[in-house]
Amino acid sequence: MADPIKKLRGMRGRESRLMRWATYASTATALTLIVAKTGAWFATESVAMLSSLIDSLLDSFASLVTLIAVRQALTPADADHRFGHGKAEPLAAMMQAGFIAGSAALLLIEAIDRLIDPQPVTQTEIGLAVMTLSVVLTLALVSFQTYVVRRSKSVAIQADSVHYKADLLANVGVMLALVASGFFGLTLVDPLFGIAIAAYILKGAWDIGGDAFNMLMDRELPDEERERIKEIALGYSGVLGVHDLRTRRSGPDVFIQMHLDLNGALSLNRAHTIADAVEKDVMERFPGAEVFVHQDPVTPESPPDVTDRDQEDSAGLRAVAHPPTPGRDDQSDEEGRER
């Protein structure tokens, strides 16, 4: 079986590259759309188009913050940050939530003003062309971000993706508003769509901020994942119980700590072997996790028969998943019997 530590390092290297490329793609997309939407707003004077432009302006700043945060989060642990720099990601996500809420407030103000004093939308064709470009670029970016989040579990990339998903729906709404106002003369549709988009953006800000806050406060992993960790540990016959399970997520990193109840009659070497096998198994099931296991001796109802060396060696491990490897002492005994 492959060493999970080496496997983890290789996987984290690939994830790091994906996360960096996701931040580059996000920033480039936002800058491209700013240029296109600025020209379209001057041509159409649509408040819905203005709302999309404001959102793209804040997108570019938020994407830049995400880029910096992801680079910081991927910095290896050092003497001053033994647990790494992963919390740079939720900090960036909290800032993004603030940017998103601010863009929603500006949009709401402009939409209400235009609702009171409706203005006709002009050059609808230009606006539709720009919004079509926006939808295509945003859809491509969201697809890539979704793939990166599935591989890396990055909260900063996830927050950026949630933001752009809201943009995608908002862009479709802007297109509908342009058609209704430009072709059918329904001037009130434009500001009404702006208000609806502002409400949707505010909801996205709330969701992103809540997830980031939970990570900053070291909230436990979901109950189903905690139960899965316990099931993995209890799957080893030498493990009599699991307690003091503590979990948390810090950016791309997951930290898992637990105490294993082991037979007090087991040798120190055997107890360590069992704990090490549990650690590796959990790391394989939870890629990117750092696992710490403490061994607590307990008195079993029927202590194992330690007179049989082979039986002791197989007491704590599942033979199928982790077959016992003969130790140096076993090899020496075998050589002695042959001589």
Side-chain angles (χ1 to χ4, degrees), residues 98-181:
F99 298 150
I100 296 170
S103 66
L106 291 174
L107 171 57
L108 193 60
I109 293 172
E110 181 65 23
I112 292 175
D113 180 67
R114 192 64 69 90
L115 190 64
I116 296 173
D117 183 20
Q119 298 292 330
V121 174
T122 59
Q123 301 292 331
T124 304
E125 294 81 2
I126 295 177
L128 287 174
V130 170
M131 295 313 300
T132 300
L133 172 66
S134 178
V135 168
V136 172
L137 291 179
T138 305
L139 184 60
L141 175 62
V142 167
S143 299
F144 181 54
Q145 288 176 327
T146 301
Y147 171 74
V148 174
V149 170
R150 188 168 61 248
R151 292 287 300 273
S152 67
K153 309 298 182 184
S154 169
V155 67
I157 302 297
Q158 184 179 22
D160 213 27
S161 180
V162 169
H163 192 184
Y164 278 102
K165 286 177 183 177
D167 287 351
L168 186 61
L169 295 177
N171 290 336
V172 174
V174 171
M175 294 176 72
L176 294 175
L178 287 172
V179 170
S181 299

